[in-house]
Amino acid sequence: MVHIAIIGGTGVYDPSILKNVYDDKMNTPYGEVAYKIGEFGDKKIAFIPRHGSHHSIPPHLINYRANIWAIKKLGVGHIIATTAVGSLNERMKPGDFVLVDQFLDFTKNRVSTFYEGGDRGVVHLDVTEPYCPKLRSFIEQAAQQLNLPIHNGGVYVCTDGPRFETPAEIKMFKQLGGDLVGMTNVPEVVLANEAEMCYSTISMVTNFAAGISPQVLTHAEVLEIMAENGEKIKKLIMRSIEN
Ligand code: HPA
C-alpha cells in the first residue's frame, strides 16, 4: 500500500529525495497513468509529475481523472501537490509558499467529476473545506521549522490557460476575493475530494499576475523562479511527511 502521493507541478519533475525508486503504470477507466514509487523513511510514496516528466502536457490537457483514480487505487490516503501560481495579493510575493484553503473555478472546458450519472449515480460533493486542514497545518509547521516564507490560507483562482490572463481578468479576480491564479488546481482538488482523500497543495508564487507585475509575463520567468525554489519545495514536502 502506498501512503502518500506527491503530484509535482511546474518545476517539480523528479522525486530525487526518495529511495529505491521504480517506474510503474496503471490502466484506469480514463487512460494509462505513469508514476514512480519510492520510499521515504518507513513510508511508501507515489510521485506523478502533473505535466509529464518533460513538461509536455499543458494544463488543459492533463488527464486529471486518470491521475486521481490511479492514486486512489494505490491505496493513498494523503496527497501533497505543488502548483506554480501568479499572485494578486501584495502580501504573497514571488518566492513565497501559500497553502490555499479555497478556490474560485474559472475553468470552462474540463470534466470535473467522477460522477456522470449511470452506474455511479448523481453526487453533489460538499466542498466547504476542499483543502485538508490537518495536512495544511503539518506543512505550515514544516515551513516554520525550515524558515520558509509561508501563508496558511488563500483563494486560488483556476483558469483554463494555457495563456496567461489579461490585466482586466486579474482585476476582476482580485475584486472577487482571489489571492492567487493558476491553471491546474481545479478539477484536481475536486476529484481528490470525490475520491475521499486528504488533499493539500503547496502553491509557489512565481510572479505577480498580469497588470500587477510591471513586466510582461513569460513562462521562462515562472520556470526560473521554480528552479530557484525547487529544492526548497522538495525539502518542505519531505519535512511535512516526517512530521
Ligand atoms: N497565471 C496563471 N498561471 C500561473 C501564473 C500566472 O500568472 N504564474 C504561474 N502560473
Side-chain angles (χ1 to χ4, degrees), residues 5 25 57 62 119 124 134 149 160 172 176 178 183 189 219:
K25 52 190 174 192
I57 313 170
I62 291 167
D119 287 348
H124 301 286
K134 225 171 170 180
D160 265 336
M172 172 185 72
L176 294 177
M183 303 175 191
V189 60
H219 187 54

Side-chain angles (χ1 to χ4, degrees), residues 30-198:
Y30 307 102
E32 191 178 86
V33 179
Y35 50 88
K36 290 180 191 292
I37 301 282
E39 289 162 17
F40 184 70
D42 60 352
K43 299 211 170 60
K44 228 172 165 187
I45 313 271
F47 179 85
I48 297 186
R50 191 189 287 115
H51 297 277
S53 48
H54 302 288
H55 202 107
S56 54
I57 313 170
H60 62 296
L61 296 180
I62 291 167
N63 197 340
Y64 296 97
R65 290 198 292 185
N67 289 350
I68 297 294
W69 183 279
I71 289 170
K72 180 69 180 178
K73 279 281 170 228
L74 288 169
V76 166
H78 296 79
I79 302 177
I80 301 177
T82 75
T83 38
V85 291
S87 176
L88 284 60
N89 181 332
E90 55 286 349
R91 283 190 314 107
M92 299 173 181
K93 298 188 262 313
D96 285 4
F97 297 103
V98 186
L99 301 167
V100 294
D101 63 346
Q102 290 288 312
F103 65 77
L104 289 169
D105 181 7
F106 276 87
T107 64
K108 301 181 276 279
N109 294 306
R110 299 181 186 184
V111 184
S112 60
T113 181
F114 288 117
Y115 296 105
E116 297 188 283
D119 287 348
R120 293 214 193 105
V122 176
V123 170
H124 301 286
L125 179 78
D126 173 65
V127 276
T128 305
E129 203 151 53
Y131 301 91
C132 180
K134 225 171 170 180
L135 197 46
R136 285 197 287 121
S137 78
F138 279 122
I139 301 169
E140 183 185 27
Q141 256 178 43
Q144 284 161 352
Q145 288 162 0
L146 295 169
N147 231 346
L148 296 174
I150 190 128
H151 307 263
N152 193 353
V155 178
Y156 180 111
V157 180
C158 196
T159 65
D160 265 336
R163 67 169 174 84
F164 288 120
E165 303 71 38
T166 63
E169 286 169 327
I170 293 298
K171 200 169 164 189
M172 172 185 72
F173 294 152
K174 202 172 166 174
Q175 281 172 1
L176 294 177
D179 293 304
L180 304 170
V181 62
M183 303 175 191
T184 55
N185 206 236
V186 183
E188 193 172 272
V189 60
V190 176
L191 295 166
N193 276 268
E194 282 190 348
E196 298 180 349
M197 288 181 283
C198 181

